[in-house]
Amino acid sequence: MAAEIHSRPQSSRPVLLSKVEGHQDVVSAALLIPKEDGVITASEDRTIRVWLKRDSGQYWPSIYHTMSSPCSAMAYHHDSRRIFVGQDNGAIMEFHISEDFNKMNFVKTYPAHQNRVSAITFCLTSEWVISTGHDKCISWMCTRSGSMLGRHYFTSWASCLQYDYETRYAFVGDYSGQITLLKLEQNTCSIITTLKGHEGSITSLWWDPVQRLLFSGASDHSIIMWDIGGRKGRTLLLQGHHDKVQAICYIQLTRQLVSCSADGGIAVWNMDISREEAPQWLESDSCQKCEQPFFWNIKQMWDTKTLGLRQHHCRKCGQAVCGKCSTKRSSYPIMGFEFQVRVCDSCFESIKDEDRTSLATFHEGKHNISHMSMDISRGLMVTCGSDRIVKIWDMTPVVGCSLATGFSSR
């Protein structure tokens, strides 16, 4: 089933502790059990499994439960031992896990959606189970009665969800690349605002209620940090992945962001520095450096008897430039560009060597990652994906300090 890889040597990269194998299809979600050497997994093979680490160092399933439909999402509340499993058919099933993690009892079924469930969160204080789905809606249901409290529909598949328990704000990312901020009430909701900045579908969200920061990952390979608490519309762009960003986790104690992409990339971003906002791209009918017309500027092309040029943009200043005025490429990590991007020649000259120093570390997970979660208090991370393998990582070598002090699991 699984094997202990090796002990924890000091290094500057994530340490692979264990691999858990046994699922017959894509592993949709995996969660580390707080304060236990255990993992809960949900898979497209229609099974929920609880894996506990044995004396041999291997993880073996102590619970193996078969569902009626492929499992697509999962939420676990450790204090109450309640687990909510979203399915491909739109239903959410609630179970209660015994204290020794050897038995799982069915509680009830929630008819939350008409299509695949994409994300679930559980709020104990209000006894709500909140979820999003491919039926283009967010729903919130009462876990006492099992009844539907409210629904709100979007124009695209709702793909991911974060929830602020204190204010009852829900953040919903969708396939159009938009994030909607909703205030949920008992039987209704109101739209607070919508956030637009990604060029691809939203694939992951993370809300930090302390600093009031929202992080979003998307299929455009980028991450955006939205400063919700600052109320000034400040956003920071992070580009370093080469595939869609599948999962993100912000470690508030060390001001670091951990992100995983579909190609197995694992990035750790230093957010404890003053970063610069990427500029808005300026629009112009001619190059803002040499004033040559762009190809749609028919009048200037006719007047100057010249062929129109293609428009590009400098990533540092945002100006519209032609290819001849932007022949250089450079990284600029302070603005989030960890790999080389197009800059105009004058901006290239202004970038010093120390400005190119990376503000993130990049590591290889060596499997297709579709989901990631962290036990921040122990510095552990679990990844899973389409290769049916679950990997458990020690992240303490790359997250800066011991996390055990004064920290509890999210």
Side-chain angles (χ1 to χ4, degrees):
M1 287 283 185
E4 181 83 357
I5 304 303
H6 43 60
S7 59
R8 306 187 182 195
Q10 290 301 310
S11 67
S12 58
R13 62 178 184 269
V15 178
L16 180 60
L17 299 176
S18 295
K19 284 202 298 186
V20 180
E21 299 177 271
H23 280 290
Q24 304 302 309
D25 208 332
V26 175
V27 184
S28 308
L31 301 170
L32 292 155
I33 302 171
K35 303 171 187 174
E36 300 281 344
D37 280 326
V39 185
I40 306 171
T41 58
S43 171
E44 299 277 354
D45 65 9
R46 300 190 297 121
T47 65
I48 302 293
R49 308 187 197 194
V50 177
W51 309 77
L52 296 180
K53 190 176 182 180
R54 306 302 182 187
D55 292 338
S56 63
Q58 294 180 322
Y59 282 82
W60 291 91
S62 62
I63 296 174
Y64 183 111
H65 181 84
T66 303
M67 308 282 279
S68 59
S69 179
C71 306
S72 56
M74 177 172 60
Y76 172 63
H77 188 266
H78 183 64
D79 291 341
S80 62
R81 297 284 200 279
R82 294 162 79 175
I83 184 169
F84 299 85
V85 183
Q87 298 177 92
D88 201 52
N89 62 11
I92 296 173
M93 296 185 75
E94 180 186 349
F95 299 90
H96 181 265
I97 298 180
S98 63
E99 286 197 21
D100 61 2
F101 296 99
N102 282 312
K103 190 176 181 183
M104 191 167 76
N105 294 315
F106 170 73
V107 178
K108 60 169 67 83
T109 301
Y110 302 90
H113 297 275
Q114 302 298 315
N115 207 329
R116 183 181 177 89
V117 180
S118 56
I120 308 170
T121 189
F122 169 62
C123 180
L124 182 65
T125 52
S126 59
E127 285 286 346
W128 287 1
V129 58
I130 308 157
S131 58
T132 54
H134 287 185
D135 56 357
K136 304 180 182 179
C137 88
I138 179 175
S139 73
W140 55 107
M141 301 187 69
C142 177
T143 53
R144 291 192 185 97
S145 64
S147 60
M148 178 69 68
L149 297 174
R151 266 200 184 109
H152 178 81
Y153 283 89
F154 306 95
T155 56
S156 302
W157 282 0
S159 51
C160 43
L161 167 71
Q162 286 284 281
Y163 184 68
D164 186 83
Y165 297 93
E166 186 179 338
T167 62
R168 291 189 176 181
Y169 284 174
F171 301 89
V172 181
D174 65 38
Y175 270 68
S176 75
Q178 181 173 284
I179 302 164
T180 306
L181 170 54
L182 301 162
K183 174 68 180 286
L184 303 187
E185 306 289 354
Q186 188 66 26
N187 296 109
T188 185
C189 71
S190 54
I191 296 178
I192 305 300
T193 189
T194 53
L195 306 174
K196 298 177 181 177
H198 285 288
E199 296 178 3
S201 57
I202 310 298
T203 48
S204 51
L205 290 173
W206 182 274
W207 169 246
D208 175 51
V210 178
Q211 289 185 268
R212 304 195 69 73
L213 300 173
L214 179 71
F215 296 88
S216 58
S219 61
D220 61 7
H221 308 177
S222 69
I223 299 166
I224 296 178
M225 187 204 84
W226 312 81
D227 186 359
I228 305 296
R231 298 180 180 276
K232 292 180 181 177
R234 181 169 172 263
T235 60
L236 295 177
L237 178 68
L238 303 173
Q239 289 191 339
H241 285 289
H242 298 283
D243 206 337
K244 60 182 176 181
V245 182
Q246 296 283 51
I248 45 183
C249 175
Y250 180 63
I251 304 172
Q252 203 272 330
L253 183 69
T254 60
R255 303 289 199 275
Q256 288 170 298
L257 180 73
V258 179
S259 59
C260 296
S261 55
D263 60 358
I266 300 170
V268 181
W269 306 82
N270 178 9
M271 304 304 294
D272 195 27
I273 52 164
S274 179
R275 289 179 176 268
E276 295 179 16
E277 281 191 78
Q280 292 288 325
W281 284 4
L282 302 176
E283 292 302 322
S284 177
D285 291 330
S286 57
C287 175
Q288 293 180 299
K289 295 295 182 182
C290 69
E291 299 184 349
Q292 286 286 303
F294 293 131
F295 64 83
W296 60 84
N297 189 349
I298 306 297
K299 184 179 184 305
Q300 189 179 345
M301 286 164 55
W302 177 263
D303 291 344
T304 59
K305 300 296 188 287
T306 56
L307 287 172
L309 304 173
R310 229 183 118 193
Q311 184 190 58
H312 301 282
H313 284 92
C314 172
R315 301 307 193 269
K316 186 175 184 292
C317 69
Q319 288 191 320
V321 292
C322 67
K324 290 181 181 177
C325 294
S326 57
T327 58
K328 303 290 197 300
R329 303 289 183 273
S330 176
S331 60
Y332 196 52
I334 198 76
M335 206 174 270
F337 300 115
E338 287 288 338
F339 46 73
Q340 293 196 339
V341 292
R342 181 186 294 271
V343 291
C344 67
D345 293 353
S346 56
C347 280
F348 182 83
E349 297 301 326
S350 72
I351 299 173
K352 302 170 185 171
D353 285 344
E354 55 265 32
D355 295 333
R356 297 184 174 93
T357 303
S358 180
L359 299 174
T361 59
F362 297 92
H363 313 279
E364 183 53 61
K366 296 184 179 177
H367 75 145
N368 297 325
I369 298 174
S370 60
H371 183 269
M372 171 271 282
S373 66
M374 289 191 71
D375 181 343
I376 296 173
S377 63
R378 292 185 288 176
L380 296 176
M381 179 177 77
V382 60
T383 58
C384 60
S386 56
D387 59 0
R388 310 174 187 179
I389 296 173
V390 177
K391 292 186 177 183
I392 301 168
W393 305 84
D394 176 12
M395 293 295 287
T396 55
V398 292
V399 293
C401 71
S402 173
L403 300 174
T405 310
F407 228 71
S408 59
S409 298
R410 181 173 175 271

